[in-house]
Amino acid sequence: MPLHNTEELKAGPTSELESSLHDPAQETYQFPDSAQDPQTVYQTIHDQLVLDGNSQQNLATFCTTWIEPEVERLMTESADKNMIDKDEYPQTAAIEERCVHMLADLWNSPEAATTIGCSTTGSSEAAMLGGLALKWNWRKRQRASSKSTASPNLIMGPVQVCWHKFCRYFDVEIREVPMEGNRLLLTPEEVVKRCDDNTIGVIVTLGVTFTLQFEPVKEISDALDELQARTGLNIPIHVDGASGAFLAPFVEPTLPWDFRLPRVKSINASGHKFGLAPLGVGWALWREKHDLPEELIFDVNYLGGNMPTFALNFSRPGGEIICQYYNFLRLGKEGYREIQSECYALGRYLAEEIATLGPFKIIYDGHGGIPGLCWELKDPVASPFTLYDFADRLRERGWLVPAYSMPPNREDLVIQRILIRHGFTRDMAHALLEEMRSTLDYLTQHPPELTLATVESTSHDHSGR
C-alpha cells in the first residue's frame, strides 16, 4: 500500500471546486475525543468523496470499476465473513474451494479436481506465493544434489512491481531482462542466456503492464525444454496471469500458455481485474498438488477447527470470493467471452481512430494481449507538446490516460496507454476521441511552456493512478 505523509495531506485544496466542498473544521488528523451523530459523519465523508475521480473515466486502472447490483447485495450480505475462519463460515470456504477447482479446470490442470490453490487479496500476493514455492522447490533440488542454496535467482522481463518486492523481501537475485530497441518483451533467447544452477524459475507475463502484450509462454517453455535436454537444467515457469489468465481462456482458447505446458508449474491471477470481481481478490494455483511444497502450508486450530493455510495475510474479507463465484456461475465461458470480446473490439476501434489523429504511432493495437492500446509520439523532438502534457490536459477533463517512460534500457521511450474494461461503452469511446481531438487542437495552438526536462523534475504524477 502507498505510504502517506500527513504534512503533505495538510496542503489543502488546489482548486475552487475543492475549496467549496472542503470544510477544514470537518477534517482531522487527530483521533477525536467524543462520538458524533452517524448521519453527520456519513455526510461529511460522502461530501469529501465527491472530489474523487469518476472511475468510469479512469483508463489507467486494470481493476474492476463496474459491478452488477446483485454483486453489491452479496458484498453487503458478506461484510461480516472472515475468509480465514473456515470453521465458522464453512459455506464460504466451500465456495472458495469450488473456485479453485473451476480455475484449475479453466487453466487445464491435469489434476483439476484434486490440485491445490488458494484465494489471496490480489494477484500481487498470489505472485509472491508462487515465487515462494519456486524458491522452496529449488532449494530441495539443490540439497538433493549437494549444491549450494546461497544464491537463488529469478528471471523475468518487464514486470509489475510485485516481483521486485518478492526478490527484495525474500532475498532472491532479480535477473530482469531489460528492453532493447524494439524488443519490449521477454524472449526465449534472453531467458536461456541467463539460466544457471541457481535459477529458481522464469516469470512469464500474460499481459505486460507497460505495453499490455502477452509474452510468448510456449516459445519460452520450448527453449527451456531444449536447455534441459542439452544441459540437464530443469527450470520451471510461473505465469503471471494477473490480467491474461481471465482473458486468454475465453478469447484465445487454443493459445498454449497454461498447465497444458508441463513446465508451467503455477499461475497467479487477479480476480478483480478481468475476472470482474470487486476489488480485493486474487488466485494462486499449482499444476499438480506436489508443485506446492508442504513446508509452506500452516495448520491452525485456534479458530475452532483445524485449517491448512498458505497466505501472507491472515484475516481478510470473504465477500469478494463469493462474488467471484457469482460471476463464474452468472457468466460462464459464454458470458466472459462476450464481455471480453466487446472490450477487445473497443480497444481495436480506438487504436484505429487514434492512429488517424496525426502525431501518434500505435505500439500495441489490441491484438495479442490485454484489451486496450498504447502509443508513442511519432516525432517527440518536433512535437510542440509531450505525452505528459497530453495526459495532463485530458485529466483536466476527467479522463485518466497515463503517460510514462519505459523500464531500462528504454527510459527514452515515453508511451501513453488505455485499458478497456467492462463498463466502458462505445459512446464513452466516442466522447474520449472528441476530447482527444479537442486536446490536440488546444496543445497545437497553445504549446506548453515547460520543457520535458522541467516536467519530469516536478512531483506531479502524470500516470493518473
Side-chain angles (χ1 to χ4, degrees):
M1 63 179 293
L3 301 178
H4 297 284
N5 183 310
T6 305
E7 290 302 316
E8 293 177 359
L9 293 175
K10 289 179 179 178
T14 59
S15 70
E16 291 185 11
L17 172 62
E18 291 184 60
S19 298
S20 66
L21 290 173
H22 273 273
D23 180 355
Q26 295 177 343
E27 295 182 1
T28 180
Y29 298 97
Q30 297 178 337
F31 208 94
D33 293 323
S34 58
Q36 301 291 329
D37 174 69
Q39 184 57 37
T40 300
V41 175
Y42 165 81
Q43 195 63 46
T44 298
I45 298 173
H46 174 85
D47 290 345
Q48 292 176 16
L49 292 176
V50 171
L51 295 172
D52 278 343
N54 176 7
S55 63
Q56 292 297 92
Q57 290 181 284
N58 182 359
L59 305 182
T61 182
F62 291 73
C63 299
T64 299
T65 55
W66 185 89
I67 55 176
E68 292 184 335
E70 291 79 6
V71 172
E72 293 182 359
R73 286 168 54 193
L74 284 171
M75 287 291 288
T76 300
E77 293 168 5
S78 306
D80 62 338
K81 296 185 186 296
N82 185 355
M83 191 61 247
I84 198 64
D85 196 345
K86 294 174 170 50
D87 192 60
E88 178 67 18
Y89 306 109
Q91 194 57 44
T92 301
I95 285 174
E96 178 192 30
E97 184 177 8
R98 290 176 210 157
C99 286
V100 165
H101 296 298
M102 292 169 82
L103 288 172
D105 176 62
L106 186 69
W107 297 339
N108 295 291
S109 167
E111 296 181 357
T114 58
T115 193
I116 200 163
C118 60
S119 66
T120 63
T121 55
S123 56
S124 293
E125 182 189 3
M128 293 197 186
L129 299 183
L132 284 170
L134 290 177
K135 184 178 179 181
W136 254 246
N137 281 328
W138 166 81
R139 193 161 59 185
K140 280 184 181 180
R141 295 194 302 270
Q142 292 292 95
R143 287 172 177 168
S145 302
S146 301
K147 295 179 180 179
S148 172
T149 61
S151 304
N153 68 71
L154 186 60
I155 298 171
M156 62 195 72
V159 288
Q160 206 262 3
V161 69
C162 69
W163 290 108
H164 292 259
K165 291 180 180 180
F166 169 78
C167 289
R168 186 178 300 179
Y169 295 168
F170 296 104
D171 198 21
V172 175
E173 177 195 348
I174 184 170
R175 293 188 176 177
E176 185 175 9
V177 178
M179 296 179 174
E180 297 283 357
N182 293 324
R183 180 179 53 73
L184 305 179
L185 301 173
L186 191 64
T187 63
E189 298 75 19
E190 296 298 325
V191 167
V192 169
K193 70 171 67 171
R194 288 168 173 80
C195 293
D196 58 31
D197 279 342
N198 293 322
T199 301
I200 67 174
V202 176
I203 306 303
V204 189
T205 305
L206 204 68
V208 173
T209 302
F210 304 99
T211 63
L212 311 183
Q213 297 162 296
F214 290 168
E215 290 184 330
V217 186
K218 175 67 162 59
E219 289 80 354
I220 291 172
S221 178
D222 290 344
L224 291 173
D225 287 345
E226 295 174 6
L227 178 69
Q228 182 178 1
R230 190 172 70 252
T231 67
L233 286 175
N234 184 9
I235 298 174
I237 288 175
H238 172 93
V239 173
D240 184 345
S243 295
F246 278 108
L247 292 166
F250 308 117
V251 297
E252 294 190 66
T254 61
L255 180 69
W257 66 274
D258 54 14
F259 294 132
R260 285 170 289 184
L261 303 174
R263 196 167 293 277
V264 173
K265 300 301 183 183
S266 51
I267 298 170
N268 70 275
S270 183
H272 60 233
K273 292 178 182 173
F274 293 94
L276 309 181
L279 281 164
V281 60
W283 302 95
L285 268 71
W286 285 265
R287 185 175 189 272
E288 299 172 84
K289 201 169 184 177
H290 63 80
D291 291 319
L292 175 59
E294 291 183 1
E295 300 90 330
L296 291 174
I297 301 173
F298 287 82
D299 287 303
V300 296
N301 62 7
Y302 46 76
L303 291 179
N306 192 56
M307 294 167 293
T309 177
F310 179 36
L312 301 181
N313 291 294
F314 197 66
S315 293
R316 55 191 171 88
E320 292 87 341
I321 294 155
I322 292 168
C323 293
Q324 182 79 89
Y325 184 59
Y326 167 87
N327 280 329
F328 289 175
L329 297 184
R330 159 82 171 86
L331 297 172
K333 291 182 180 179
E334 180 184 17
Y336 270 101
R337 185 180 303 113
E338 181 178 342
I339 289 171
Q340 313 297 29
S341 295
E342 178 59 21
C343 290
Y344 276 106
L346 275 176
R348 291 161 186 168
Y349 166 74
L350 282 175
E352 293 174 359
E353 292 297 315
I354 290 172
T356 67
L357 295 180
F360 304 129
K361 175 185 176 183
I362 303 298
I363 294 175
Y364 169 68
D365 64 358
H367 292 84
I370 301 173
L373 64 146
C374 62
W375 64 88
E376 62 178 316
L377 285 171
K378 289 179 180 176
D379 190 349
V381 175
S383 175
F385 62 88
T386 69
L387 289 181
Y388 297 123
D389 299 322
F390 195 64
D392 285 345
R393 183 70 183 175
L394 287 174
R395 184 169 185 166
E396 291 177 9
R397 303 293 297 170
W399 294 99
L400 275 66
V401 184
Y404 49 88
S405 60
M406 299 296 269
N409 292 330
R410 286 305 316 271
E411 295 97 333
D412 60 302
L413 176 59
V414 176
I415 74 171
Q416 205 161 6
R417 186 197 69 210
I418 286 175
L419 265 298
I420 306 296
R421 305 177 312 279
H422 185 35
F424 186 81
T425 66
R426 194 160 289 267
D427 285 343
M428 293 175 68
H430 293 156
L432 172 63
L433 287 169
E434 285 303 309
E435 202 61 61
M436 293 180 75
R437 294 185 183 101
S438 175
T439 296
L440 278 178
D441 291 341
Y442 178 86
L443 291 175
T444 301
Q445 296 172 24
H446 305 88
E449 295 181 4
L450 291 177
T451 64
L452 177 59
T454 306
V455 171
E456 289 182 329
S457 70
T458 69
S459 61
H460 181 66
D461 178 7
H462 302 270
S463 71
R465 304 193 68 174

